[in-house]
């Protein structure tokens, strides 16, 4: 932002030792012409302090009610360099491929009053979950890397600069511009002042100067230079004057002109800092405008976990891919012979595949049939009541079309080296993976198991290194062995044979 940059530059002019923190009081961060929202300040601080950083820029959105309790998302600003037409096309394709769930219609209502993209949601959709999915899977949220690289040392050497270095280089450049622009006036003033110095010396010693000139044959200039310490230019100026002019010199007039020239020379020498400040202020006042891109504080910089109360919850996942989190306090103790309470609604032919109790601060690992693993905190699973069917897993994990969750495991400590994950595939392959190898999971998941073509992961179990493994097949065959017979391997390994299958048979459980 022009106004912010000029204010920071003036700050450096007034205080050459200004710190990055002081400069950031003037420069809040990057400002984009398409507006948008910068999420957090940590990336900006890193870029200004070290020359490198990364910021996240989001579209500006709001929820709008319409119809009978329906909600739609209105997008009024996009991240810089995001093409609106391509964004709408990408969203529509993901909705068609069922990678984006809960959206019923997308249309562009942009007019001369401003941009307006309307995303209408289905009646049972969670608006915040859909919006988070849009930020995760589309260009409505974009990352921008900052590298403050510039040529320094008279544009000879590329160097990564901090914010303070950048402003110093700019000020030095402006100094050279002003010097070149004023050097003619400065040179002329200095030359005239130099002559006046010689003339003032002649005025102070007028009788002796006249005597030297009258008694000289052709060496008057040299004698004047030797006698009064003048240089060639000063002595020549005295010799070139008519005698009558030399006698009639007005000392007050000479002294007044000399004082004026001294002031001008001092101004030219001292003007650099003042002129730069005055000119920058004029540019700021004429062209400076308000900030366009908002910088928003984000909870991640505070550590969102500190803001969430820890409680025990029941986590439920269905075979159709619906997941939910319900507070354990909603379940009551029943006596023997109790009828039981309905704890989840499911669609036809859907069924509950996994259910367990865990803390909202526990890690939950999701293993898919393609061998990928995702990690979420318990509080990141959408909360629902006992009778709700939950949220489709695609709103929680960025799973691909045709990818489904084969296993869901919870753990409070993912760095322990004494626990293992045993993975078994449909074709009978088994792999034992130390839990600690998954401590650096990315949000978009990583591959935990390489699979042959046509194979898929059907089960994952957590062990302590001393358990027995039982693998069962569709045709009723089974094998049991100590887990120590399977050597622990890394994420890139494919595993070993766990059971030899007859033609047409395959593993169903482990």
């Amino acid at each position: 932002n022009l106004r912010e940059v000029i204010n920071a530059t003036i700050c450096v002019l007034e205080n050459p030792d200004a710190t990055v923190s002081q400069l950031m009081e003037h420069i809040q961060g990057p400002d984009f012409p398409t507006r948008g929202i910068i999420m957090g300040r940590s990336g900006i601080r890193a870029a200004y302090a070290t020359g490198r950083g990364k910021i996240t820029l989001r579209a500006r959105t709001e929820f709008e009610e319409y119809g009978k309790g329906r909600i739609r998302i209105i997008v009024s600003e996009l991240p810089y360099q995001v093409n609106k037409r391509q964004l709408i096309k990408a969203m529509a394709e993901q909705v068609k491929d069922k990678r984006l769930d809960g959206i019923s219609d997308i249309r562009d209502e942009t007019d001369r009053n401003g941009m307006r993209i309307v995303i209408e949601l289905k009646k049972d959709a969670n608006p915040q979950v859909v919006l988070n999915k849009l930020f995760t899977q589309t260009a409505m949220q974009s990352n921008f890397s900052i590298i403050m690289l510039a040529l320094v040392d008279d544009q000879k050497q590329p160097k990564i600069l901090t914010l303070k270095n950048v402003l110093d280089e700019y000020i030095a450049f402006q100094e050279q511009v002003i010097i070149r622009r004023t050097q003619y006036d400065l040179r002329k003033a200095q030359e005239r002042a130099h002559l006046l110095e010689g003339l003032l010396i002649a005025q102070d010693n007028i009788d002796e100067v006249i005597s030297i000139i009258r008694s000289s044959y052709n060496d008057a200039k040299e004698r004047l230079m030797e006698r009064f310490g003048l240089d060639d230019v000063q002595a020549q100026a005295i010799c070139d004057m008519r005698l009558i002019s030399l006698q009639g010199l007005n000392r007050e007039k000479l002294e007044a002109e000399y004082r004026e020239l001294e002031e001008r020379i001092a101004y030219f020498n001292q003007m650099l800092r003042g002129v730069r400040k005055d000119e920058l202020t004029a540019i700021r006042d004429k062209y400076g405008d308000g900030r366009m891109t908002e910088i928003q504080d984000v909870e991640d910089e505070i550590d969102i976990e500190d803001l969430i109360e820890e409680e025990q919850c029941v986590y439920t996942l269905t075979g159709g891919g619906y997941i939910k989190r319900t507070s354990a306090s909603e379940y009551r103790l029943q006596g023997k012979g109790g009828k039981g309470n309905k704890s989840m609604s499911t669609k036809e032919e859907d069924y509950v595949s996994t259910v367990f109790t865990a803390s909202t601060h526990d890690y939950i690992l999701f293993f898919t049939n393609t061998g990928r693993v995702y990690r979420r905190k318990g509080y990141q699973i959408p909360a629902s009541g006992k009778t709700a069917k939950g949220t489709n897993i695609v709103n929680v994990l960025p799973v691909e079309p045709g990818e489904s969750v084969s296993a869901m495991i919870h753990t409070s400590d993912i760095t322990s080296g004494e626990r293992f994950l045993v993975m078994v595939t449909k074709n009978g392959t088994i792999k034992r993976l130390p839990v600690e190898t998954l401590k650096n999971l990315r949000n978009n998941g990583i591959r935990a198991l390489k699979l042959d073509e046509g194979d898929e992961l059907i089960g994952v179990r957590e062990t302590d290194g001393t358990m027995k493994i039982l693998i069962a097949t569709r045709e009723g065959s089974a094998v049991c062995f100590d887990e120590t017979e399977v050597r622990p391997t890394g994420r890139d390994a494919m595993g070993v044979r766990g059971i030899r299958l007859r033609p047409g048979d395959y593993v169903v459980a482990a």
Side-chain angles (χ1 to χ4, degrees):
N1 179 275
L2 177 63
R3 182 179 297 276
E4 294 178 2
V5 171
I6 290 178
N7 287 338
T9 306
I10 293 174
C11 175
V12 174
L13 288 172
E14 296 176 343
N15 179 17
D17 297 325
T19 64
V20 172
S21 298
Q22 292 173 319
L23 296 178
M24 285 189 65
E25 294 178 4
H26 302 282
I27 298 184
Q28 298 181 42
D31 197 18
F32 297 93
T34 56
R35 300 180 182 272
I37 301 173
I38 295 175
M39 304 304 295
R41 289 180 166 81
S42 59
I44 300 173
R45 284 194 295 268
Y48 289 168
T50 67
R52 291 180 180 269
K54 185 171 72 173
I55 62 171
T56 298
L57 189 63
R58 275 187 179 180
R60 184 176 295 278
T61 62
E62 62 177 337
F63 295 128
E64 184 178 276
E65 291 189 6
Y66 74 104
K68 296 182 179 180
R70 299 284 295 276
I71 300 292
R72 57 189 175 192
I73 300 173
I74 307 300
V75 183
S76 56
E77 298 173 10
L78 290 178
Y80 185 56
Q81 293 182 333
V82 172
N83 185 284
K84 180 183 62 176
R85 185 173 62 179
Q86 293 179 357
L87 172 65
I88 295 175
K89 181 181 178 182
M91 288 192 293
E93 290 177 351
Q94 292 194 42
V95 172
K96 182 179 178 181
D97 295 338
K98 297 183 178 180
R99 295 180 59 193
L100 277 175
D101 195 25
I103 297 177
S104 60
D105 186 31
I106 303 173
R107 60 180 181 273
D108 184 8
E109 296 183 355
T110 303
D111 56 19
R112 65 180 63 185
N113 296 321
M115 190 185 72
R116 179 181 167 91
I117 301 174
V118 179
I119 304 171
E120 294 187 354
L121 307 182
K122 296 178 180 178
K123 193 170 184 179
D124 60 344
N126 185 322
Q128 190 60 54
V129 171
V130 174
L131 181 59
N132 291 342
K133 197 71 172 177
L134 288 169
F135 286 144
T136 303
Q137 296 182 205
T138 72
M140 281 178 58
Q141 176 173 298
S142 303
N143 292 326
F144 283 84
S145 295
I146 301 173
I147 302 179
M148 299 172 68
L149 181 67
L151 291 174
V152 297
D153 296 338
D154 198 21
Q155 297 187 349
K156 295 178 181 178
Q157 178 186 359
K159 187 177 181 181
I160 295 177
L161 307 175
T162 65
L163 177 61
K164 177 66 164 52
N165 297 147
V166 170
L167 295 177
D168 286 340
E169 290 291 332
Y170 174 70
I171 290 171
F173 169 74
Q174 285 297 323
E175 181 176 323
Q176 293 302 317
V177 171
I178 294 173
I179 287 176
R180 288 194 297 267
R181 190 178 64 196
T182 59
Q183 62 185 357
Y184 176 81
D185 292 336
L186 176 63
R187 186 176 67 252
K188 290 297 181 182
Q190 289 174 336
E191 290 175 355
R192 179 60 180 169
H194 188 60
L195 284 177
L196 289 179
E197 287 179 359
L199 294 177
L200 287 172
I201 292 174
Q203 179 66 39
D204 291 338
N205 304 275
I206 185 66
D207 293 336
E208 188 175 356
V209 168
I210 293 174
S211 174
I212 291 174
I213 294 175
R214 291 179 62 184
S215 61
S216 298
Y217 178 70
N218 61 352
D219 60 348
K221 184 170 69 172
E222 288 76 10
R223 291 177 63 186
L224 287 172
M225 292 170 61
E226 181 180 354
R227 170 65 183 84
F228 299 109
L230 304 174
D231 63 12
D232 185 81
V233 173
Q234 292 172 319
Q236 186 64 47
I238 294 173
C239 293
D240 289 343
M241 294 185 68
R242 292 181 301 170
L243 185 61
I244 188 65
S245 300
L246 188 61
Q247 288 178 327
L249 284 175
N250 188 327
R251 181 172 181 81
E252 291 183 359
K253 184 177 180 181
L254 283 177
E255 290 179 344
E257 183 181 0
Y258 184 70
R259 284 195 301 270
E260 181 183 351
L261 284 173
E262 280 187 323
E263 292 175 359
R264 290 186 63 193
I265 291 171
Y267 169 72
F268 286 138
N269 288 326
Q270 298 295 327
M271 72 180 297
L272 298 178
R273 198 166 296 274
V275 168
R276 283 177 297 185
K277 181 178 178 180
D278 294 341
E279 291 183 351
L280 289 171
T281 302
I283 294 172
R284 179 195 64 191
D285 295 340
K286 184 175 182 179
Y287 300 106
D289 53 5
R291 163 167 285 277
M292 303 179 72
T293 303
E294 177 187 346
I295 300 177
Q296 193 174 97
D297 293 325
V298 295
E299 293 177 334
D300 292 344
E301 293 187 316
I302 302 170
D303 191 354
I304 190 173
E305 207 165 288
D306 295 336
L307 307 176
I308 296 176
E309 182 180 357
E310 185 172 5
E311 64 171 336
Q312 290 295 310
C313 293
V314 177
Y315 297 84
T316 311
L317 176 68
T318 72
Y322 282 84
I323 187 172
K324 72 172 184 175
R325 168 172 59 93
T326 306
S327 176
S329 61
E330 293 194 25
Y331 296 86
R332 62 182 178 84
L333 183 65
Q334 292 182 322
K336 184 178 67 172
K339 181 180 178 181
N341 292 322
K342 188 175 182 64
S343 62
M344 187 172 193
S345 299
T346 58
K347 293 183 177 181
E348 282 188 44
E349 299 183 358
D350 198 4
Y351 59 93
V352 175
S353 62
T354 306
V355 59
F356 54 72
T357 303
S359 166
T360 50
H361 288 192
D362 282 352
Y363 288 106
I364 300 180
L365 302 176
F366 298 87
F367 294 84
T368 69
N369 59 332
T370 61
R372 293 188 67 82
V373 57
Y374 302 86
R375 184 181 70 188
R376 293 291 183 270
K377 279 287 192 175
Y379 58 75
Q380 293 178 305
I381 308 301
S384 302
K386 284 200 304 179
T387 58
K389 69 177 181 180
T391 304
N392 197 307
I393 197 70
V394 298
N395 294 315
V396 180
L397 305 175
V399 294
E400 300 291 334
E403 188 178 15
S404 61
V405 175
S406 299
M408 184 172 71
I409 293 175
H410 68 95
T411 177
S412 58
D413 182 11
I414 207 167
T415 61
S416 174
E418 299 179 355
R419 291 178 299 118
F420 301 89
L421 295 170
V422 175
M423 292 172 274
V424 179
T425 73
K426 185 177 180 180
N427 290 347
T429 298
I430 184 172
K431 175 179 177 179
R432 194 157 67 110
L433 181 72
V435 173
E436 62 178 358
T437 59
L438 302 180
K439 63 183 179 182
N440 295 321
L441 279 181
R442 299 185 295 268
N443 282 335
N444 59 349
I446 58 174
R447 184 160 298 282
L449 173 67
K450 288 186 177 180
L451 296 170
D452 291 328
E453 187 175 354
D455 199 3
E456 63 181 61
L457 182 65
I458 58 98
V460 181
R461 291 291 182 268
E462 184 180 8
T463 71
D464 60 6
T466 63
M467 295 185 179
K468 291 186 179 296
I469 306 298
L470 178 70
I471 301 176
T473 73
R474 179 179 181 275
E475 298 296 335
S477 298
V479 64
C480 183
F481 52 87
D482 292 329
E483 69 167 289
T484 53
E485 295 185 30
V486 181
R487 181 174 58 87
T489 55
R491 288 192 300 105
D492 296 331
M494 294 186 64
V496 297
R497 178 178 295 174
I499 186 171
R500 191 181 299 275
L501 299 171
R502 296 182 176 85
D505 200 4
Y506 55 87
V507 174
V508 294

